[in-house]
């Protein structure tokens, strides 16, 4: 084998080990990043105040808009609501999903 092929194989192996380590040692962080990306591509905004974090999506198409506040339970976090936030089924609704203080952020 040529030196170039060996370098490519070594680089690929190192990259695979690094990516695998991130998934193994920080699975929640990886999950959050993937969910954030998916939600951003579907119009969900991440808001941050001094007191808490929340996700927001405005599906209002008329003047008869309603608001929905989604609050998670103990030991959970606002990503529980990510499928509802990303859904196109909810028309004329402003949705808020709150990360309460002390939850995973």
């Amino acid at each position: 084998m040529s030196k170039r092929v060996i370098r490519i194989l070594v680089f690929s192996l190192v990259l695979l080990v690094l990516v695998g380590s991130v998934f193994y040692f920080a699975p929640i962080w990886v999950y959050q990043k993937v969910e954030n990306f998916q939600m951003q591509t579907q119009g969900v905004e991440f808001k941050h105040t001094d007191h808490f974090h929340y996700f927001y999506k405005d599906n209002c198409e008329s003047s008869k808009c309603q608001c929905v506040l989604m609050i998670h339970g103990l030991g959970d976090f606002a990503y529980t609501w990510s499928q509802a936030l990303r859904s196109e089924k909810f028309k004329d609704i402003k949705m808020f999903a709150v990360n309460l203080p002390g939850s995973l952020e």
Side-chain angles (χ1 to χ4, degrees), residues 38-99:
Q38 289 177 343
M39 287 193 292
Q40 283 178 344
T41 60
Q42 295 175 347
V44 178
E45 298 177 38
F46 180 69
K47 304 287 186 171
H48 176 79
T49 69
D50 291 338
H51 302 290
F52 56 90
H53 303 93
Y54 64 95
F55 295 100
Y56 168 74
K57 185 170 183 187
D58 186 352
N59 289 328
C60 291
E61 296 176 356
S62 70
S63 61
K64 297 181 179 182
C65 194
Q66 298 178 351
C67 292
V68 173
L69 176 62
M70 297 175 274
I71 301 175
H72 58 79
L74 295 173
D76 209 350
F77 53 115
Y79 292 100
T80 302
W81 305 108
S82 66
Q83 287 183 347
L85 288 165
R86 292 189 317 233
S87 176
E88 298 297 324
K89 295 178 183 179
F90 301 106
K91 302 293 181 195
D92 292 332
I93 295 176
K94 287 183 182 181
M95 296 187 290
F96 300 87
V98 179
N99 255 342

